[in-house]
Amino acid sequence: MKKIFLIVFVVFAFAEAVTAQQDPQYTQYMYNPIVVNPAYAGNRGVMSIMGLHRSQWVGLDGAPRTQTLSLHTPIANSRVGVGLSIVNDEIGPADETYAAADFSYSIPVGEGSKLSFGIKGGVHLLNVDFTRLNIFNPSDSRLQENVENRLSPTVGAGVYYHAERFHIGLSSPNLLQTDHFDNVNNTSATSFIAQERIHFFGTAGYVFDLNSEIKLKPATMVKVVSGAPLQVDLSGNFLFNEKFTVGAAYRWSAAVSAMVGFQVSEQMLLGFAYDRETTELGNAVYNDGSYELFARFELFNSYDKIITPRFF
């Protein structure tokens, strides 16, 4: 059972017929939109620093593990926001790192509402260690030489609108489609080692005041990539007394999730999520589900301070 993931990975990730590759997924996407949408940079009104770790399908050899670190802030007395995002994604023998700078420009479009435009530029670093695989066919020419420090550029863009209670965004963190090739048997023939497909993300959410102490925020994220099924995440979070958050999420035909968060102080928020697959993979003996943990720290500036914790 523990070899299932590696077998699937070899078949789908390294075959010449590969048509798509999914970017990392996040259950608690509502707390860190800048990873996929550069237009979010500076939109919290303060310097915001966030770190996240995700372990997916715990117990399966070669299962995905993702770490992200992001920082973004508004520029004082301007409509500009800037940020930095770093994502490391490990899956099977592959290790990918994305590093990008983010820039946004916001336009007031009404009382308490803004429309922001953003761009993202950076690099993608790919490493593949085939010695970590239990290779069925050791003579396969595509699995003879490791991929080491293969660099490619990334350019992304996005738009983000938010009012006091509502937000919606559309983005692509990388608009460049990159095909990584290797020569086959030292001839002029080539085969795909990996393909970076263009991913599009749509996000939206609304905040309801149920009473003076409880708020409800339903949210959604839609991910579209050529050659892969449409991914839709639906979530609902309750915020109690501006301190404690509890919620649940459903990833269409994939997983159900539970989420909790605690506003430790005005500056610090901690969150945890657990996913359980609804597919046959969820019944695997060695699959203990997926775990996600994040910490967000915010530095309040004298010119702009968050009065109460924001859901987005």
Side-chain angles (χ1 to χ4, degrees), residues 3-241:
K3 302 300 182 183
I4 290 177
F5 185 82
L6 290 183
I7 295 171
V8 173
F9 185 83
V10 172
V11 171
F12 288 99
F14 294 102
E16 290 185 44
V18 164
T19 59
Q21 176 174 310
Q22 286 284 338
D23 278 356
Q25 64 185 24
Y26 308 97
T27 298
Q28 299 168 106
Y29 56 85
M30 66 288 296
Y31 295 108
N32 196 29
I34 192 173
V35 173
V36 297
N37 192 343
Y40 190 73
N43 264 271
R44 287 194 59 78
V46 297
M47 178 178 287
S48 182
I49 304 169
M50 179 166 172
L52 178 146
H53 173 83
R54 178 181 177 85
S55 292
Q56 189 163 322
W57 306 332
V58 174
L60 290 178
D61 288 344
R65 294 192 304 168
T66 305
Q67 301 85 36
T68 71
L69 177 64
S70 65
L71 179 153
H72 63 103
T73 183
I75 301 300
N77 303 315
S78 76
R79 297 179 178 180
V80 173
V82 294
L84 176 67
S85 303
I86 300 173
V87 179
N88 183 67
D89 191 37
E90 303 172 47
I91 177 171
D95 187 339
E96 300 180 84
T97 301
Y98 302 82
D102 303 287
F103 175 90
S104 73
Y105 186 83
S106 299
I107 302 172
V109 292
E111 185 175 353
S113 61
K114 294 192 299 184
L115 180 64
S116 302
F117 302 89
I119 56 174
K120 177 189 290 282
V123 294
H124 167 249
L125 180 67
L126 173 67
N127 288 281
V128 184
D129 183 1
F130 294 113
T131 63
R132 296 167 60 184
L133 290 175
N134 183 11
I135 301 174
F136 176 75
N137 180 13
S139 64
D140 191 327
S141 59
R142 294 167 295 183
L143 307 178
Q144 299 302 308
E145 295 185 11
N146 292 338
V147 178
E148 297 183 353
N149 299 323
R150 185 162 297 178
L151 279 172
S152 57
T154 62
V155 176
V159 60
Y160 180 80
Y161 168 84
H162 81 80
E164 183 180 356
R165 297 182 178 275
F166 173 73
H167 70 93
I168 186 169
L170 179 65
S171 64
S172 175
N174 187 14
L175 291 166
L176 302 178
Q177 178 173 305
T178 303
D179 298 328
H180 299 290
F181 294 92
D182 266 10
N183 289 332
V184 177
N185 297 325
N186 296 318
T187 69
S188 59
T190 57
S191 64
F192 289 112
I193 283 293
Q195 295 175 293
E196 305 300 326
R197 292 289 188 179
I198 300 173
H199 293 64
F200 293 97
F201 293 84
T203 58
Y206 193 90
V207 178
F208 296 92
D209 284 331
L210 300 185
N211 57 43
S212 61
E213 298 179 345
I214 304 175
K215 294 181 180 179
L216 167 65
K217 179 194 174 183
T220 185
M221 171 183 277
V222 179
K223 184 195 296 184
V224 180
V225 56
S226 175
L230 176 71
Q231 180 177 304
V232 180
D233 284 48
L234 302 171
S235 66
N237 280 291
F238 293 90
L239 175 62
F240 299 91
N241 296 316

